[in-house]
Amino acid sequence: MRHNVKKTLSLAALGFLLLAVNISAQEVSTGQATANVLAVLVVTAPQDLDFGDILQGVVNTVGPNDDAQSGIFQIAGEGTGNREVSMNLQLPEYLWNGGAGVQDRLPIAFASTDATIDTTAGSPATPGLGALANQDPNNLPDTGIGGAANVVRIYLGGTVHPSVDQRAGAYAADIILTAAYTGD
């Protein structure tokens, strides 16, 4: 029985020795997981779509290439250029006159070519090279933020249709731009 105890102890010692040899032969390396969360997009409307003074019964159109009157919307992002954003314009069907005790509406329409998308921070009359002209403001394509300033600008035109007895006064309506990173 003594022989079996010695044999068992010898085998156990040999096992610990082999285990110690195997452990000391291993190497370890440490890496990291990293991420950079970008700031939210900044969406602004530096210039309103402005039809100016209009006459009763006379249709008035402002093109997207009018420096003084076309609407300008800007999306500014962060990080490397060409981060893609989706853009959606909520366009009104009417401008409203909410004078004292009266309310009147002025129809407004947007053609399928009433928007230009510029990634170079140009101007409506002179958008940068590669601008997307004649875009449908009701269905804007996803676009990469571009240029040194990491911006996308949308130049917007439209048409108002006053009736022959359109009530005199100031009319207005909100145009809302929503933008989000697509992940591309």
Side-chain angles (χ1 to χ4, degrees):
M1 185 161 230
R2 232 178 196 196
H3 179 59
N4 286 341
V5 172
K6 278 185 182 181
K7 188 176 182 181
T8 304
L9 287 176
S10 296
L11 288 176
L14 182 61
F16 285 124
L17 182 60
L18 288 175
L19 183 59
V21 169
N22 286 339
I23 290 175
S24 65
Q26 293 180 352
E27 298 208 19
V28 176
S29 177
T30 302
Q32 293 183 326
T34 64
N36 181 30
V37 178
L38 299 178
V40 293
L41 293 170
V42 177
V43 180
T44 58
Q47 181 171 298
D48 292 335
L49 174 56
D50 183 5
F51 293 95
D53 295 334
I54 60 171
L55 302 172
Q56 294 172 325
V58 178
V59 173
N60 188 353
T61 298
V62 171
N65 59 345
D66 188 313
D67 279 343
Q69 293 181 282
S70 66
I72 300 175
F73 295 86
Q74 181 169 298
I75 304 163
E78 183 182 1
T80 58
N82 291 324
R83 296 236 183 233
E84 190 175 81
V85 294
S86 65
M87 303 168 289
N88 181 50
L89 284 169
Q90 294 176 21
L91 302 169
E93 294 180 12
Y94 302 98
L95 304 182
W96 293 92
N97 173 346
V102 291
Q103 233 186 22
D104 201 7
R105 62 187 187 177
L106 171 61
I108 184 172
F110 298 92
S112 63
T113 58
D114 271 343
T116 296
I117 300 170
D118 184 9
T119 60
T120 63
S123 72
T126 55
L129 186 62
L132 303 173
N134 301 317
Q135 295 297 303
D136 184 350
N138 290 296
N139 188 23
L140 296 171
D142 294 348
T143 303
I145 292 176
N150 286 332
V151 298
V152 173
R153 284 193 177 163
I154 300 168
Y155 308 128
L156 180 65
T159 303
V160 289
H161 300 269
S163 66
V164 293
D165 62 346
Q166 190 75 48
R167 184 181 308 273
Y171 289 76
D174 291 336
I175 299 173
I176 300 168
L177 172 64
T178 305
Y181 286 115
T182 65
D184 290 336

